[in-house]
Amino acid sequence: MNWVEAIGYLGTALTIAASAMSTMIPLRIVALLASCAVITYGFLIGSMPVVLTELIQIPFNAIRLYQMIRLIRDAERAATGDLSFDWLKPFGEARRFTAGAVVFRQGEPAAEMLYVESGLFRIPEQDITVRPGAIVGELGMLSPGNLRTGSLVCVEAGQARCISYLEVKQLYYQNPEFGFYLLKLTSERLFQATQHTGRRASSVPAGSEVM
């Protein structure tokens, strides 16, 4: 086996290794290395179809690698205290809601969460106002039976990005680090809801009956 064949075998080995990986960032990196090895081999043996195939794949792998690294970076920053979810915009579908519209009701099946871009929304059961820059509906993904834990009503007309749980789960499984930070963000929301409930309970006068 000469050194040209060795490069070809290296490209094959890296391609197989990339196919066997379950996390996206290492997969994309190895896939890029495999493409470089195969392109080199293709040039050395004069096979332009091989070179062309790998040249087409490189931009796709590079773009997806950049997107995943950016997601992790932005999610990590949010998990340290900045509850900005702008990084979810590319994965959401924009929808407009009119004042008075019921977006969803407590107990309904849940299939997506919302990122509020404009307008004003309210969760009546918890007396929580949801303003632009916040997410809502993410807890339905974790609730038993994927049911809504509260209703959402549009108070002032606005727009929200709707991100399906399927999309969120795909991002979660594709990269464990992203999933870890998403869990931290969701935990932050749970703590906020618990603190809000505690404040409401403490505001009830002694001897009052809570309905």
Side-chain angles (χ1 to χ4, degrees), residues 3 8 11 26 47 90 96 98 109 113 128 132 136 138 149-150 153 158 161 164 171 178 194 196 205 208-209:
W3 65 275
S47 177
R96 293 201 60 83
T98 58
M113 66 181 186
I128 294 177
V136 64
E138 79 283 3
T149 59
V153 179
R161 292 271 174 177
S164 70
L171 293 172
F178 170 77
T194 301
H196 178 82
S208 297
E209 181 179 357

Side-chain angles (χ1 to χ4, degrees), residues 12-197:
T12 300
L14 289 173
T15 300
I16 294 173
S19 301
M21 291 180 175
S22 58
T23 54
M24 291 304 294
I25 287 183
L27 186 155
R28 299 296 178 182
I29 292 174
V30 174
L32 287 170
L33 293 174
S35 293
C36 291
V38 173
I39 287 172
T40 302
Y41 176 72
F43 272 121
L44 292 173
I45 66 173
S47 177
M48 294 311 297
V50 171
V51 173
L52 181 61
T53 300
E54 296 302 322
L55 285 175
I56 292 173
Q57 292 188 45
I58 283 179
F60 291 104
N61 284 319
I63 290 172
R64 291 302 296 169
L65 176 61
Y66 168 75
Q67 289 177 337
M68 291 307 303
I69 292 175
R70 186 182 63 181
L71 276 173
I72 291 172
R73 181 195 63 210
D74 293 343
E76 182 176 10
R77 184 168 59 245
T80 58
D82 177 14
L83 290 179
S84 172
F85 292 85
D86 288 343
W87 47 273
L88 284 174
K89 285 184 179 180
F91 300 93
E93 174 189 354
R95 295 182 193 169
R96 293 201 60 83
F97 299 95
T98 58
V102 178
V103 182
F104 53 75
R105 300 181 186 277
Q106 186 178 34
E108 289 182 346
E112 61 187 11
M113 66 181 186
L114 291 82
Y115 171 84
V116 178
E117 294 185 299
S118 62
L120 197 64
F121 296 79
R122 184 171 173 270
I123 304 174
E125 291 85 359
Q126 301 174 14
D127 193 24
I128 294 177
T129 299
V130 183
R131 303 180 184 277
I135 65 169
V136 64
E138 79 283 3
L139 296 181
M141 184 170 59
L142 304 177
S143 68
N146 291 128
L147 300 178
R148 293 294 185 191
T149 59
S151 305
L152 184 66
V153 179
C154 180
V155 179
E156 297 178 3
Q159 178 172 295
R161 292 271 174 177
C162 302
I163 303 105
S164 70
Y165 291 158
L166 177 61
E167 185 72 48
V168 175
K169 289 177 181 178
Q170 287 176 347
L171 293 172
Y172 179 95
Y173 289 120
Q174 284 175 357
N175 196 289
E177 288 183 85
F178 170 77
F180 172 73
Y181 292 123
L182 181 63
L183 285 175
K184 288 185 70 176
L185 294 174
T186 306
S187 298
E188 182 76 17
R189 296 293 302 219
L190 286 170
F191 281 124
Q192 289 176 347
T194 301
Q195 291 172 356
H196 178 82
T197 302

